[in-house]
Amino acid sequence: MTLFAWLSSILVAVIVLTVTAFGLWWERKLAGRMQSRLGPTIVGPIGLFQPIADLLKLVQKEPIIPQRADRALFWLAPPLTTLFALLVAALVPFGPKLAPANIDVGVPLIIALGGLALIPVWMAGWASHNKYALLGAMRAVAQSVSYGVPLVLTALVPVILAGSMNLNSIVAWQHRHHWLVVWPVFLGLPAFILFILAMLAEANRIPFDIPEAESELVAGVSTEYTGMHFGFIYLAEYVHTLVGSAVASTLFLGGWDGPFGPSVLWMVLKTCLLFSVLYWLRWSLVRLRADQLMALAWKWLVPAGLALVLLAAVWTQTPWGR
Amino acid sequence: MEATPAWRKLPYRRLELYEPEGDLMTLQLGPQHPSTHGVLRIKLHLDGERIVKAVPFPGYLHRAVEKLCEQLTYVQIAPIVDKNDYVAPMTSEQAIILAIEKLLKVEVPRRARWLRSALAELQRVASHLLWLGTMTLDLGGALGGGGSVFVYTMRERELVLDLFEGLTGSRFHYNTHTVGGNRHDVPAGWAKDMHAALDLIEKRIPEYETLTQNNRLFVERMRGIGVLEPELALELGVTGPNLRASGVDHDLRRDAPFHAYDEVATNVITAKAGDCLARTQVRVAEMKESVRLARAFIDGLPEGPLVSGKPIKLPGQFKVNSGQVYAALESARGELGTFLVAGAGTSPYRLKIRPPSYHAISALPYLLPGHTVSDTVAILGSLDPIMGEVDR
Amino acid sequence: MSGWTGLFVFLVVSVVMIGGLLAAAWMLRVKARRDSPLKRHAYECGEEPDGPAWIRFHPRYYVVALFFVLFDVEAAFFFPWAIRERALGWAGLGSIVVFTGVLLVGWAYALRKGALKWQ
Amino acid sequence: MTFTATMIVFALVGALAFVGSIFTVRSSKLVHAVLWLGVTLGMTAILFVQLGAPFLAGIQLLLYVGGVMTLMIFGVLLTKRDGDSELKTEEPSRERGALIALAVFAVLAGTIWLGRDALQRTAVPSLGTGWLGTSLLTRHLVAFEALSALLLAAMIGAIVIARRRDPDQPSEPKES
């Protein structure tokens, strides 16, 4: 058992990091094509090794700690952002057997771990002793906090329908019935969309990327960071988006459930598809303003999430939902 | 238009009257900031994220152009000043030539005037395209949707620059206007290329509209932000699309025609709201109008000489000892005026440029308070300032 | 318990990977020949920072965080109910609706007072 | 007594929680204190897991490490003008504090020691999250509903405190 735990953990970590690295390349390529550019072309065939080159570059850079920064927190925060973002991946089942941590309380734990990522982000911003970073940090916390509520609420919808907080059970339930976005569509689809919105906000992605809003806050939280520490913040964002896509696929798109072939491929396929759609959004939308984000979360998403939860509960009481 | 809220004007004058709930934070936005359109510094006093007071500090790009021009002959000035408005050098150059021609009382042939009008309209399209791109860049960031629009508009701006290159041999600093006419005549097939480019641009403007002013997120960011009241705009001397977006129907192309604008009627586009969205709408509509005008000017390009009198060989050919003139044209950013006092000999005694951008950014202290840091870049971007022109 | 072991193992794997990157960054880093205080200045667009960055913040931030905690408490109570939802039936649903309703009163009050606005 | 992996983890986590709590009290920077508190709370979550209450662990992470920490961070940023100023502990209170801490520890340790037989005899029922939900909504329904009133009171209190209006305060722009 323990050996299996080790192997599957390493495997999932490798899958996540590979897909992230590939995702970096894919995003730049996709964005390039969307913008009548080519994207990376030089490093490796069709620029495939670009993320590796980026990593090598970042690793070599000089680490600079600003004068008045809180040195310990400044140094510790970026690796922690990546760590928390990665940890969530452990809870996502990539196959009926391939889940490093098949835990009965998976859903609340995923939300909790995902939400934790905001603390190192805040640490990074605060420790920099830079006004832009601090504004970014405060925005990050406020945004994470506001969108945490709809995130929990929409994640409750599959929990109620499947009657379990275990992600594998939820996927199994979707396997037996339908994928949640397919049926009950009036519950699954809105919940899915709300979940994606809240997840984007938690991962600080456009249109919710106000914490790093580089046209306003220069680089927000990561303003003072150099080298690999900057890389960690960057990586955390990507991992967060990727793992968020994986969670959304698990909760709403049937996870590893597919008509044929190995389940892990289906999971990766769904995740990457969702990931690409998120990048499509990213490259076509402008960002919202901080106060608009807050208004959107508290005024619309929270009540909508509550309504969905109650609707799901009503649905399970009806003969069709039993 | 509702009355100006008291908090918008008062705290600007008296920061000590403002009672924040937290501490006030002083934030320097610029000069080295991604969204200050060159090197502008704005000192922001923030309560949380809300701006209490904003003080712009221009001057980082001051190159003493006006002083330099006093040392140059009338012929040499044009290529110097077309570096002022580096987004629309063509009109920047035309403005100075207009003033010199007015001072020297030089007649400009009709063909040159029509060609200048066509070039001015092309330049307006190119300038507005760049503006739209940077505007969305400010809103969406280089890592987001803004980057996409920016790349698209740059792609179309290239078409215009290619045309200019075909005509003058230079992509940016043309020096195509001489006193009394134009230096470069239209090459064969240029008009056809221009039509092709204009057709493409016209076809793609609706695409930008989809991405910007018809996009819910974009509208949410722009509507009601940075409302410039017409009274304030007039008082500050704001001109061009910024003024027209505030509902003031004023356009030099119609109200004080220069070039050949007295022969082809211009539709002046105005909007009521005076906010960032209105400024966007006015500029996008102006692009369409400019495409129409440019077509009209190139189609109607009369035959005849391009330069009046002899071609210039020596700088000393023009000599004026007295007199002063003010000439203005409607550049992409508004009234670009030149006040010229003749000096002894072949160079001016004093040259003063009235850049529309300078007046636009003078509205910032009034527009910014009450908005958030995010709105700063939206408001600044929507005013379309070119710092080269502001600082000169 | 096995799932938790897996999570722990994954934690170890992640820590090793991130630690490896950190170590690599430390070993391969470029070192400036001469340290310059200018380099280590806080970035404020090329200007001397004007006033402290660590200031007293607006109380609004606190209200938003408090609302998050309160709604999260609510959601935390939803979870045990959610997995027994079918068994608890309409009665359980009714209790939850009452529970939610009371909280929504606070939510509506906050919206009316504009307490959740960011500025 | 043999050392199992569980015990090693317990020792590690317990030590970290202990260190975290010590630094929470001893940190000279308030922000550091809050973050150390986060470490302690997070380690407590792992202890919950070891005690067979995984749901509580999740909630501990969600509410305490995620939520309460944020709240305290904002609280810290609200109270002091500069977060980097040193905190001073008054000297006489230190001994008194140590005494009180020792007394509390003695009481706790004594209770556990005295009740050790009872603890060993009683098999801990593994009830699970579902049981929690069922009992909340049936047996403890009144308490559960009363809790919502408590949360409501907290909300309204926070709003009232934060809404200190003064005449020069900018009037809110119209809702978009």
Side-chain angles (χ1 to χ4, degrees), chain B residues 93-106:
Chain B
E93 194 177 302
Q94 284 175 354
I96 204 85
I97 288 289
L98 268 184
I100 298 171
E101 281 164 353
K102 200 169 166 188
L103 180 76
L104 305 175
K105 300 194 179 59
V106 179

Side-chain angles (χ1 to χ4, degrees), chain A residues 117-160:
Chain A
L118 86 101
I119 287 178
V121 169
W122 181 85
M123 272 161 70
W126 185 81
S128 301
H129 205 293
N130 174 303
K131 287 168 199 165
Y132 286 108
L134 192 65
L135 282 177
M138 298 309 268
R139 283 183 180 187
V141 175
Q143 177 181 310
S144 238
V145 148
S146 301
Y147 282 83
V149 179
L151 195 70
V152 184
L153 292 177
T154 46
L156 265 165
V157 171
V159 171
I160 288 174

Side-chain angles (χ1 to χ4, degrees), chain B residues 202 205 209 283-293:
Chain B
E202 193 170 45
I205 288 175
E209 285 176 334
R283 285 204 177 85
V284 172
E286 262 182 26
M287 261 195 265
K288 292 181 192 163
E289 171 67 7
S290 288
V291 168
R292 182 187 75 81
L293 282 174

Side-chain angles (χ1 to χ4, degrees), chain A residues 194-215:
Chain A
L194 286 194
F195 185 85
I196 286 288
L197 282 180
M199 191 272 286
L200 276 178
E202 289 248 321
N204 303 334
R205 278 296 182 208
I206 276 184
F208 304 106
D209 74 333
I210 52 162
E212 70 155 83
E214 84 282 352
S215 60

